[in-house]
Amino acid sequence: MNYKDFIADPARSCAVVAHRGAWHGAPENSLAAIENAIALGCEIVELDIRKSADGELFLMHDDTLERMAGIDRDAETFTMAELQAIMLREDDGGEGRAVSDQCIPTLRQALEIIRGRIFADLDLKDRGLFSEVAACAREMGANADVDLKTKVHSLADVEWVRAQKIDGVPFMGMARLTAENTGDALAVLAELSPFMCEIRFDSLETIAYHREAFAKAGMALWVNTLDQPGSGEWTDSAALANPDLIWGRLMDAGISVIQTDQPAALKSYIRARQA
């Protein structure tokens, strides 16, 4: 089953997205973190994509290598050979983390693992790489297993996406929804017919009220519960303390994809709900 068909399946349970891979026990954005996500049974892995000084696509979230390798220099100023000689710090990095046996991977290396085993959300640090990343996914035979995404707030955004050469790669919109703007936002998103939309929202009631409209448009809803300001009250920390209050309420409102830094806990919670 390809990514779009999986997301469209009405019988599936809530999909778990491992943010930067399942990085508890492996460096974030590493091949080992992808393997961990697969082993946990996560349906999707989120990966951050950049471009090296010599034109290779690779995985790294931050602008610099300070957090993940202790090197205060922009990651994109290194050649790919130089990047692959750098060992990553464990987990989510920082001074207290030990150096692992994992190096910085190329996108191609990641796609070799992903293809046919797990789906991937490719978060481009420069959306100007859309066409190039899509071409790489097609060349690797992984284009039906990954998505590309960007904010879609206006018709200008719609035209930008249409101008990209991403044929064969599923597109996910990104939007902030409020009680006042959801109808208009849905109309703009519908111009691109995304198979899914990553949303932020003013209140859960807004989402629940419009869930049928999104279903009719064929758009699954993705929410992040990361411990970041944009998550508001809907955080992993709050979910670990009371999963029914966070993950459970999101699912009940119609959210069917959740990105988390606690994939093992979320997988366990979903299984318990189904028991």
Side-chain angles (χ1 to χ4, degrees):
M1 182 181 292
N2 66 34
Y3 195 0
K4 290 179 74 171
D5 288 345
F6 166 73
I7 291 296
D9 183 358
R12 70 173 173 85
S13 59
C14 181
V16 175
V17 185
H19 180 232
R20 305 178 194 170
W23 51 260
H24 294 276
E28 67 175 47
N29 278 308
S30 68
L31 300 182
I34 300 172
E35 291 285 6
N36 283 355
I38 294 169
L40 285 173
C42 297
E43 291 78 13
I44 306 168
V45 61
E46 183 264 0
L47 302 170
D48 301 292
I49 314 301
R50 294 184 177 276
K51 189 174 182 179
S52 71
D54 56 344
E56 288 291 327
L57 298 166
F58 69 96
L59 274 52
M60 178 62 58
H61 177 270
D62 295 0
D63 291 340
T64 79
L65 299 180
E66 177 62 33
R67 179 169 60 87
M68 291 309 300
I71 301 171
D72 187 14
R73 176 176 156 189
D74 285 354
E76 294 179 352
T77 65
F78 290 86
T79 66
M80 198 64 238
E82 290 170 333
L83 288 168
Q84 296 224 281
I86 297 169
M87 297 296 107
L88 294 164
R89 288 171 168 168
E90 286 285 2
D91 298 348
D92 58 348
E95 288 186 16
R97 301 292 190 189
V99 176
S100 75
D101 63 355
Q102 294 287 301
C103 67
I104 297 169
T106 66
L107 175 59
R108 289 175 180 275
Q109 289 173 319
L111 293 177
E112 284 279 5
I113 293 174
I114 288 161
R115 189 176 51 212
R117 300 177 69 204
I118 192 171
F119 303 120
D121 169 55
L122 304 182
D123 188 352
L124 311 191
K125 298 297 102 176
D126 173 6
R127 77 173 190 171
L129 296 175
F130 251 57
S131 297
E132 188 171 344
V133 171
C136 179
R138 286 192 296 266
E139 184 180 335
M140 296 293 295
N143 53 291
D145 297 321
V146 304
D147 72 58
L148 292 173
K149 66 184 179 185
T150 192
K151 293 177 181 178
V152 181
H153 295 165
S154 67
L155 291 178
D157 294 327
V158 170
E159 291 307 313
W160 185 90
V161 174
R162 284 176 174 164
Q164 308 312 302
K165 298 175 181 177
I166 62 170
D167 293 350
V169 177
F171 173 73
M172 176 164 67
M174 302 172 71
R176 174 167 174 77
L177 306 179
T178 67
E180 293 77 21
N181 84 341
T182 296
D184 291 340
L186 181 55
V188 173
L189 285 163
E191 292 286 328
L192 292 167
S193 300
F195 79 124
M196 186 157 51
C197 186
E198 179 180 325
I199 62 169
R200 293 183 179 181
F201 52 90
D202 58 348
S203 73
L204 202 57
E205 289 70 27
T206 295
I207 305 309
Y209 181 79
H210 291 279
R211 65 185 297 177
E212 292 304 321
F214 279 97
K216 186 176 180 180
M219 250 180 279
L221 297 180
W222 159 316
V223 164
N224 301 328
T225 61
L226 311 171
D227 286 346
Q228 297 177 353
S231 300
E233 67 186 282
W234 308 95
T235 65
D236 285 337
S237 292
L240 291 176
N242 190 337
D244 288 329
L245 185 66
I246 303 299
W247 291 329
R249 289 177 65 205
L250 288 170
M251 292 179 210
D252 291 343
I255 304 304
S256 65
V257 183
I258 296 176
Q259 179 172 212
T260 177
D261 281 319
Q262 301 293 338
L266 179 51
K267 285 296 295 184
S268 178
Y269 175 68
I270 292 169
R271 292 189 189 104
R273 273 174 62 103
Q274 295 172 327

